[in-house]
Amino acid sequence: MNEMTSLERVLATMTHKQPDRVPVFPILLLHGAAELGMGLEQYFSKGAHWAEGQLKLRDKFGHDCVVGVPHVVQDITAFGAEVMYWKQGPPSPGRMVIHSWKDVNQMTVPDPYAVPELVETLKAIELLAKEVKGEVPIIGAAIAPFSLPSMLMGTERWMDLLLFEEPAVRKEVMGRMLEITLDFCAAWSNAQLAAGADVIVLADGMASAAVLTRRQFIDLALPVVKAIVPRIKGNVVHEGVGHLYPMLDLLVDTGILGVILSHLDDIAVCRKIVGDKLALIGNLNNIEMLRWSPEKMAQKSREAIKDNASCTGFVLSAQGPEIPLGVSDEVIRAMVQAPRDWPC
Amino acid sequence: MDKGRSQRITSFYQKTISDDGRPDQQVAAYHERFFDTLANMDASGARHVIDEAIEAGIPPGTIILEVFCSVMERFGEMQANQEITLSEIYAIAKIGQATIDQLMALLPASTHKSGTVVIGTIVGDFHGMGAKIVGIFLRMAGFEVHELGINVPSTTFVDTAIEKKASIICASTLLLHTMDQIRTIHDILDERKLTNSIKLVVGGAPFNFDSELYKTVNADATAINASDAIEVVSRLMEAM
């Protein structure tokens, strides 16, 4: 088979056709700063920086994607939340913006084009599109509407609302909250697609089997997934940020293209559950790989490819959100090399 | 799970409460009903079962040991085996806390405690559920627990531990990079020559994803869940 471009390779596997080899996505949101010789806060201040960082990283490693978003918490800036920067990792929320249910009633849906941080992301995607559109998949991302509230009010408060609040209050506050996050997520995702993103990853950290029971997922999270996916005018991948296999069958008919799996998901089991209806992306342990050798990475990558049993419907990647800074270039190279050494 | 771990909660109450009854059929039925209500995250149902047991004349000490403790330990085992989710164990911990407060109010006040612990989620991290759950379970196992909440600076952990005469600091994080702040807790303890009198236990997703990671932040131990935290904290205190 002739060598495919990264986009052809990814499109083939995502649509369950035979690619020339398994595509590989090492999600590198942080490593680009060093390529540009700058600290993370400066790196994250301009879309032009991380667009350049993404391109340099792809030139260096030869993987099959570029990522248009800088980090996972940028969405909360649209709601007035502060972001706290760190020297060795991605930013984290500086404070919560919802302190009472009254705050929810006073919220409005932010316009992504009016939020400076998000505008930088759109610039980055546009720059990436200018350079690699049509050859390399450009990945966009948004916090899923069901999980975004936990980043605005804290996981405990969100869980208290879902589990312990009076039904009438829960219905009203949860309804209003999800109305806002659904509208925002749709607008934000579509803005990224319009700027040139090829796919939107919906990060739904409160909706995995680590957090919710299957029943809770059906009652609380699944309706939100079903509501948001049709509103996004492009390809959508779901990321549970935790294991998903107990509810994977429920995601098959939601309109998503694939799922990002946790290292606790068994790829072979997941493949049996979804058949050829969803692509599987994952599922290397991004924390443990901090102390992997290149040989160990090669072995783990091969095992993941082998577990999928074929080259179709699978992208070799790590569980989210990103590969930590301490993972060496040699280890990343071993991951990118594995599909080349393990042909279809 | 080893027997010692699963019975840590019971063993604390055995030191202060006399088990007046036997685990007869009636008590066993309350155990099962209490378990079911918690499994369904039904707070009012759990309260109803305990009220009914009290009204039926079952001694509070028996209810604590044979109903409450044994049910909580069952859930601890289920969490260790990944048979229940975070939302379930969170609800169970909150309902369990209310239940034990209700039952202990029926008993003479006791000054006995297992030890003192300071717990919180490190600065930069607003994911407080894990630490909250562990704090509740530690309290149920007889520890005096001082909860610091979320986004807690490293110095606050140490200052509070000194002020409250705690021998254990439990620091939680969901985020890999805020681990550096946990390392700072150790550095402060080291600077103040407190590493022998105050031990550092860490928890949270990164430490669960890599069982060796706690060593990189110079922690004394890690706990993978609430019942494991009881075991780890107890073991460290016994060794001090």
Side-chain angles (χ1 to χ4, degrees), chain A residues 51-70:
Chain A
E52 190 182 352
Q54 284 295 306
L55 294 170
K56 280 183 180 291
L57 289 167
R58 188 170 182 279
D59 285 345
K60 184 175 183 175
F61 296 115
H63 50 284
D64 290 307
C65 68
V66 289
V67 184
V69 294

Side-chain angles (χ1 to χ4, degrees), chain A residues 84 86 88-96 151 154-157 159-160 163-164 206 209-213 216 262-264 285-288 290-291 319 322 324, chain B residues 41 43 82 84-88 90-92 94-95 123-129 132 150-151 175-181 205-213:
Chain A
M84 193 184 289
W86 302 92
Q88 292 299 318
S92 54
R95 66 178 178 90
M96 298 290 108
M151 296 176 74
T155 50
E156 196 179 332
R157 192 184 290 271
M159 199 54 78
D160 282 345
L163 298 179
F164 294 113
M206 293 297 285
V211 179
L212 299 182
T213 64
Q216 288 170 331
S262 148
H263 79 281
L264 295 172
N285 185 335
N286 64 335
I287 305 296
E288 207 178 76
L290 277 163
R291 58 187 173 87
Q319 62 186 4
E322 73 258 310
Chain B
M41 293 180 265
Q82 296 185 323
I84 50 177
T85 65
L86 184 64
S87 63
E88 289 174 296
Y90 178 63
I92 288 161
K94 286 192 79 154
I95 299 167
V123 67
D125 197 332
F126 288 79
H127 301 88
M129 276 176 61
K132 180 94 178 177
I150 54 178
N151 196 30
L175 308 170
L176 182 68
H177 51 284
T178 51
M179 275 192 345
D180 283 342
Q181 303 304 308
F207 301 106
N208 290 358
F209 290 167
D210 183 352
S211 59
E212 297 294 305
L213 199 64

Side-chain angles (χ1 to χ4, degrees), chain B residues 169-172 182 200-204 207 213-214 217 219-224:
Chain B
I169 290 173
C170 292
S172 169
I182 296 181
L200 178 59
V201 179
V202 294
F207 301 106
L213 199 64
Y214 76 96
V217 294
D220 294 291
T222 184
I224 59 166

Side-chain angles (χ1 to χ4, degrees), chain A residues 168-284:
Chain A
V169 176
R170 177 171 60 227
K171 189 177 174 193
E172 186 193 336
V173 178
M174 190 178 151
R176 177 64 188 141
M177 189 76 249
L178 291 175
E179 206 176 85
I180 293 166
T181 55
L182 273 161
D183 284 352
F184 172 71
C185 183
W188 175 219
S189 300
N190 288 328
Q192 292 179 59
L193 291 166
D198 293 302
V199 61
I200 298 297
V201 175
L202 284 182
D204 213 354
M206 293 297 285
S208 79
V211 179
L212 299 182
T213 64
R214 186 176 163 90
R215 185 72 254 163
Q216 288 170 331
F217 184 80
I218 290 168
D219 292 342
L220 299 170
L222 187 59
V224 187
V225 175
K226 286 181 174 173
I228 189 62
V229 173
R231 293 181 63 182
I232 297 174
K233 299 179 177 72
N235 299 314
V236 176
V237 162
H238 181 274
E239 179 179 20
V241 206
H243 60 292
L244 272 177
Y245 67 89
M247 47 268 279
L248 204 48
D249 60 309
L250 300 166
L251 287 166
V252 164
D253 295 320
T254 56
I256 61 172
L257 204 59
V259 288
I260 298 177
L261 300 176
S262 148
H263 79 281
L264 295 172
D265 288 306
D266 182 318
I267 292 173
V269 170
C270 291
R271 173 57 61 214
K272 275 187 191 158
I273 293 170
V274 301
D276 62 358
K277 291 183 175 171
L278 289 181
L280 303 178
I281 302 164
N283 65 343
L284 302 170

Side-chain angles (χ1 to χ4, degrees), chain B residues 36-75:
Chain B
D36 288 344
T37 55
L38 260 64
N40 289 314
M41 293 180 265
D42 176 5
S44 62
R47 168 112 198 178
H48 182 70
V49 172
I50 297 300
D51 284 346
E52 226 183 89
I54 294 166
E55 282 166 22
I58 297 174
T62 303
I63 299 172
I64 288 174
L65 291 171
E66 306 298 345
V67 178
F68 174 80
C69 291
S70 52
V71 164
M72 297 312 291
E73 284 162 0
R74 272 175 79 180
F75 283 118

